[in-house]
Amino acid sequence: MKILSAVNSVDEYQALADAGADELYCGIYHMGDVSHGNRALNRREGLSFCLNGEEEFAALNEKAQRDHRPVFVAINSFYSTEALNKVKRQIAALLPLSPHGFIVADIAVLRFIRQSGFAGKISISVGGTVFNAQAARFYQELTADRIILPRHLTLREMDTFADLGLELEVLVLEDRCLFIDGFCNFHHSLPGKSTNILHDNKFLARTIFPRLLAKLNYGSIRQTLPRWLGGKADRFRRVCAYHYKISSLGAAETKAEQIDKLQLALSDHTHVETCGLCRLAEFEERGIGYIKIANRGKLTSHKVQTIALARAAVTELMKRGAPEDFTACIREHYRRIYGHPCGRAHCYYPND
Amino acid sequence: MERALLLSPRQSSRQTGGEWDRLYIGHEFCERLLPSDQEIESLVKDRSLPDKRSLVTPYVTQAGLERVQALVRRFVEKEPIFDEVIINDWGVFRAIREHGGRRVLGRLLVRQLRDPRLVDVDCGAQELPGLSISDDFIRVIRDVFGISRIEMDTTPAELAAVSKELHVSLYRPFTYVTTTRLCPIANLDGKPAGISLVADRCNFECVDHAYELRNELMGRTLYLYGNTIFYRNEEEGLPPLGPDRLVIQQLP
């Protein structure tokens, strides 16, 4: 089973490789490029999340090819004509650098890549919303090689993808969102905001911002922020985790405790430290050969820890020990990295 | 302009009065709300409703896909009650291609910019609000896949240009923002058991429960109906050029 990690600078390549990442994925960003409210063309804005142009990709890919470590380029949003023209220019600039593969969601992009003569791997992003075997076949007929299964599938529902002749990948660590990526219209970062300087300034983007993000996502600030700021805490939260004033519209009366439950359901299920590593054996049974860590924009040290967690899980799986021992071992590794035990709220597969 | 009424059969008790040219039956967002055979038969018998009908289908798991296929085999191919299928899943698109009926690309597969905050952000008129489908995409769906109609729910600057290439349906009064299989309303009346996927705990609470969501950062009120969040779009008005069908959703 192969482990995929995000990479957003050539400087962190060796640390991620040493930690045990088998494959890498990245986005490419061009400073000052504003397009369609989605500046980086790959759903994550700025140098915190992306490589700095094709030059940095070339430097990264040279190292990766030397080590036979595949690198995928994410071009995984949906595009207007204007944005697609930028995408096409980016692809044309990348093809001579021989990327191992692309991660896409827009079928116009998929077709352009193949029509450009690229014979490498094409992965269908979670944005491709492949919830059933016919959808997988649809993309297979468009020459996709790999499907990244959407987050909101149970293990039982994944049975349907076995024996299709496609590589299968699942998200297994970090950043579960309440909403379905491929159908969600919330922007992670709005254009025209003052955070633009944060995205374009290399020092701020790669040193300050990830540390700030770590404090907000994992540190004590996450717990204390609502106490300090009350309703204004949402300014520091992901849009998909906003808190709302909720009032009932329907025919049935809604009790106060049901409103509280609804509030929790809407805002508290977008967790960063989510994990599905206990399910590796079940993934293997279903022919899933690739596990992905959703760690774009995180500190290199954190990326290393999450890769190490995934690597420990794969190593334990290979020992073929008793399932309960495997689970206990993974949970202990999780606790060491995240500083607390895992629970249902942190589970990528809570229904299974 | 053709006027279509969108009904989920569990909502069929709502008012259907008015002049309608077409009936949309089904659901875009939840496979559990696909109509049963009996529900479809009951609506067909209602002479007050139009006899041009579209089957509306959601994104689906394998189980949901099998249900959609059964509906299409019976009500599109064998007993043609529906002349169209509204498709929000590429798997459905592929699965029903042999069964006849016009395939219409539903709004989940037509990627518009729908973030409710965008309309209030000053980032250049040429940027937003807009359409995230390209000329290339339109050519593929029209010339390769044979689709002649798409469905939208906001009115981008490109609408007139798009409508020269394809027929366009426009949804009112709700634009969808986002959707989930971790339905927040499912099991609302039950014990607080944490998150769960729809299939395990749903008692169709969404039929009787709907909510307004307010947050000052959103700039506008959101609405939660079942597993999907919407905002109201009536202030966009109807464009003078573009859509040739208006689809009216009836939600609480």
Side-chain angles (χ1 to χ4, degrees), chain B residues 11-110:
Chain B
Q11 297 172 302
S12 59
S13 59
R14 303 196 194 288
Q15 289 189 0
T16 54
E19 298 276 329
W20 304 107
D21 303 299
R22 177 174 283 276
L23 186 62
Y24 274 31
I25 302 175
H27 205 272
E28 300 166 272
F29 304 102
C30 182
E31 66 184 38
R32 289 176 63 74
L33 291 171
L34 278 166
S36 66
D37 287 29
Q38 294 77 15
E39 285 164 342
I40 291 174
E41 286 159 356
S42 170
L43 280 171
V44 167
K45 282 180 190 155
D46 185 341
R47 298 283 181 202
S48 70
L49 294 171
D51 55 15
K52 284 198 285 187
R53 303 176 201 93
S54 307
L55 176 63
V56 182
T57 64
Y59 56 94
V60 286
T61 62
Q62 198 63 30
L65 181 63
E66 286 162 14
R67 175 68 192 135
V68 168
Q69 284 178 293
L71 285 173
V72 170
R73 272 194 294 269
R74 180 173 171 195
F75 292 113
V76 175
E77 193 174 21
K78 288 188 186 149
E79 309 163 27
I81 285 168
F82 299 106
D83 60 353
E84 263 183 7
V85 182
I86 313 298
I87 293 169
N88 289 290
D89 183 296
W90 287 120
V92 170
F93 173 81
R94 185 178 186 274
I96 68 169
R97 58 190 174 183
E98 307 301 331
H99 298 298
R102 251 186 330 272
R103 291 179 295 175
V104 175
L105 215 59
R107 49 180 171 165
L108 271 76
L109 296 181
V110 177

Side-chain angles (χ1 to χ4, degrees), chain A residues 134-145:
Chain A
Q134 290 278 358
R137 288 265 188 240
F138 169 82
Y139 288 111
Q140 190 176 37
E141 285 169 357
L142 293 174
T143 75
D145 303 285

Side-chain angles (χ1 to χ4, degrees), chain A residues 13 32 61 78 95 98 120 133 155 165 171 178 215 237 247 334:
Chain A
Y13 168 79
N61 202 38
F78 298 92
L95 288 181
S98 304
L155 292 169
L171 285 151
L178 173 63
K215 296 268 186 218
R237 283 197 184 103
S247 48
Y334 178 98

Side-chain angles (χ1 to χ4, degrees), chain B residues 125-136:
Chain B
Q126 76 279 9
E127 287 269 341
L128 300 160
L131 198 62
S132 288
I133 67 173
S134 57
D135 294 344
D136 284 26

Side-chain angles (χ1 to χ4, degrees), chain A residues 110-130:
Chain A
L110 194 165
R111 286 171 58 89
F112 176 79
I113 290 171
R114 287 301 189 211
Q115 284 162 358
S116 300
F118 180 70
K121 297 279 190 187
I122 290 185
S123 279
I124 300 302
S125 158
V126 292
T129 54
V130 180

Side-chain angles (χ1 to χ4, degrees), chain A residues 36 78 81 88 132-134 141 152 157 178 182-183 185 187 234 243 245 247 249 258 261 269 351, chain B residues 60 62 94 111 115 117 127 132 135-136 176-177 179-181 187 189 195 197 200 210 212 214-215:
Chain A
H36 206 59
F78 298 92
T81 297
K88 288 178 177 177
N132 56 72
Q134 290 278 358
E141 285 169 357
H152 299 180
E157 289 165 346
L178 173 63
F183 296 135
N185 293 284
H187 274 244
D234 276 347
H243 286 59
K245 185 168 178 300
S247 48
L249 282 175
Q258 288 171 327
K261 190 177 167 189
H269 293 154
N351 281 74
Chain B
V60 286
Q62 198 63 30
R94 185 178 186 274
R111 296 308 305 262
D115 190 311
R117 302 165 296 167
E127 287 269 341
S132 288
D135 294 344
D136 284 26
Y176 103 85
V177 179
T179 185
T180 178
R181 293 192 72 219
N187 199 36
D189 300 323
I195 60 165
L197 285 176
D200 282 2
E212 259 186 14
R214 290 179 190 274
N215 182 307

Side-chain angles (χ1 to χ4, degrees), chain A residues 65-205:
Chain A
Q65 284 181 332
R66 177 199 66 207
D67 296 340
H68 306 290
R69 185 168 280 104
V71 180
F72 286 81
V73 179
I75 306 184
N76 56 344
S77 187
F78 298 92
Y79 305 100
S80 65
T81 297
E82 180 209 348
L84 184 64
N85 288 338
K86 294 183 183 180
V87 163
K88 288 178 177 177
R89 285 197 291 275
Q90 185 174 101
I91 292 168
L94 287 170
L95 288 181
L97 304 173
S98 304
H100 181 82
F102 291 93
I103 304 172
V104 304
D106 190 322
I107 57 178
V109 175
L110 194 165
R111 286 171 58 89
F112 176 79
I113 290 171
R114 287 301 189 211
Q115 284 162 358
S116 300
F118 180 70
K121 297 279 190 187
I122 290 185
S123 279
I124 300 302
S125 158
V126 292
T129 54
V130 180
F131 284 100
N132 56 72
Q134 290 278 358
R137 288 265 188 240
F138 169 82
Y139 288 111
Q140 190 176 37
E141 285 169 357
L142 293 174
T143 75
D145 303 285
R146 187 186 294 187
I147 303 291
I148 306 172
L149 295 176
R151 290 175 166 91
H152 299 180
L153 279 170
T154 65
L155 292 169
R156 217 171 327 135
E157 289 165 346
M158 290 181 191
D159 288 346
T160 196
F161 299 101
D163 304 321
L164 292 180
L166 284 160
E167 293 172 3
L168 299 173
E169 185 177 310
V170 291
L171 285 151
V172 77
L173 259 184
E174 308 230 315
D175 284 8
R176 185 194 59 220
C177 184
L178 173 63
F179 303 113
I180 296 172
D181 294 74
F183 296 135
C184 186
N185 293 284
F186 281 133
H187 274 244
H188 292 142
S189 168
L190 292 178
K193 294 286 188 180
S194 57
T195 47
N196 289 353
I197 190 171
L198 199 64
H199 296 321
D200 282 353
N201 181 293
K202 206 168 173 182
F203 174 72
L204 288 175

